[in-house]
Amino acid sequence: MDDCITLTYQVEGGDLSHAGEASSGVKQALRKLGLDPSVIRRVSVCMYEGEINMVIHANGGTARVDVGLDDVTITLTDTGPGIPDIDKAMQAGFTTAADSVRDLGFGAGMGLPNMKKYSDEMTVESTVGVGTTVTMVVRIE
Amino acid sequence: MTLKEVRDILHAEVLCGEELLDTEVRSACGSDFMSDVLAYVKNQALLLTGLVNPQVVRTAEMMDMKCIVFVRGKQPDEAILDLAQDRQLVVLATKERMYNACGLLYINGLRE
Ligand SMILES: Nc1ncnc2c1ncn2[C@@H]1O[C@H](COP(=O)(O)OP(=O)(O)O)[C@@H](O)[C@H]1O
Ligand SMILES: [Mg+2]
């Protein structure tokens, strides 16, 4: 891949009030680069759901976004509890989120399915007790 | 429909973005679950919600929406309004419940 630009962010864990700042930063950067609005929206949603997951399930992590000529690759890495059964986690509606998270409008078990739907490629690698890395590629048509 | 019309139909208070009320909207979405809102790929310009927190603004931002309507008389705090202002979002607050607010906009022509 021909990387033009790499953006990196530290995502804090804990409370949700700052969740989305990294996604917002990416969105603004992609706008400045003049990418197609529908590509920007897909990247934004993928990254935002992934960022929320790192905050609520993994106590934060790092986000890296590589903007190439043909695609945008989002890599989210955390050292959280890991996902024991990835296939199950990918199912629509599956969630281990607490009610307190649901009261904030998340935890409906739609994050990973949304990320899959909006990206052209997605891989989830996870080891229980070590952490999770989610990689998503959104192609620029 | 313009956001001015939305305001009038819902007897809503304008909490921020007064200068953007001439914006045209053609589609809306009502939900308290942000992942539901994020799940629809199509254009949605207006978000009606009973949920009040900064993630509502973030969700609207990610989806390129124009306006947030807080239903049931919910009042967002200063931090939420600052964020919305910064993102050039109009924020309205109505006393109508979600069901009524959506119904009113629908019968007045906002059908997408
Ligand atoms: N980064 C992560 N670290 C640990 N577990 C995760 C992570 N992301 C997702 N999960 C697990 O996968 C489940 C489903 O995730 P998702 O589809 O985003 O739904 P939700 O976040 O609403 O629970 C979560 O409830 C959680 O158990
Ligand atoms: Mg999630």
Side-chain angles (χ1 to χ4, degrees), chain B residues 71-86:
Chain B
V71 299
R72 263 181 287 135
K74 298 274 173 95
Q75 289 286 339
D77 63 22
E78 208 56 44
I80 296 174
L81 290 177
D82 283 349
L83 195 59
Q85 187 100 49
D86 196 57

Side-chain angles (χ1 to χ4, degrees), chain A residues 48-129:
Chain A
Y48 183 52
E49 287 280 15
E51 186 180 354
I52 296 275
N53 276 356
M54 287 201 296
V55 175
I56 62 182
H57 302 300
N59 200 32
T62 58
R64 178 189 160 120
V65 179
D66 294 293
V67 187
L69 293 174
D70 302 324
D71 50 36
V72 179
T73 304
I74 306 159
T75 311
L76 305 169
T77 308
D78 67 63
T79 52
I83 306 175
D85 185 339
I86 294 172
D87 289 338
K88 205 166 163 188
M90 292 294 302
Q91 285 171 18
F94 176 84
T95 182
T96 59
D99 286 340
S100 56
V101 171
R102 248 178 309 281
D103 291 341
L104 296 169
F106 285 91
M110 291 306 297
L112 290 171
N114 277 353
M115 288 151 74
K116 173 120 192 128
K117 178 166 136 188
Y118 278 86
S119 58
D120 292 301
E121 275 167 52
M122 169 163 147
T123 54
V124 181
E125 288 165 282
S126 191
T127 308
V128 173

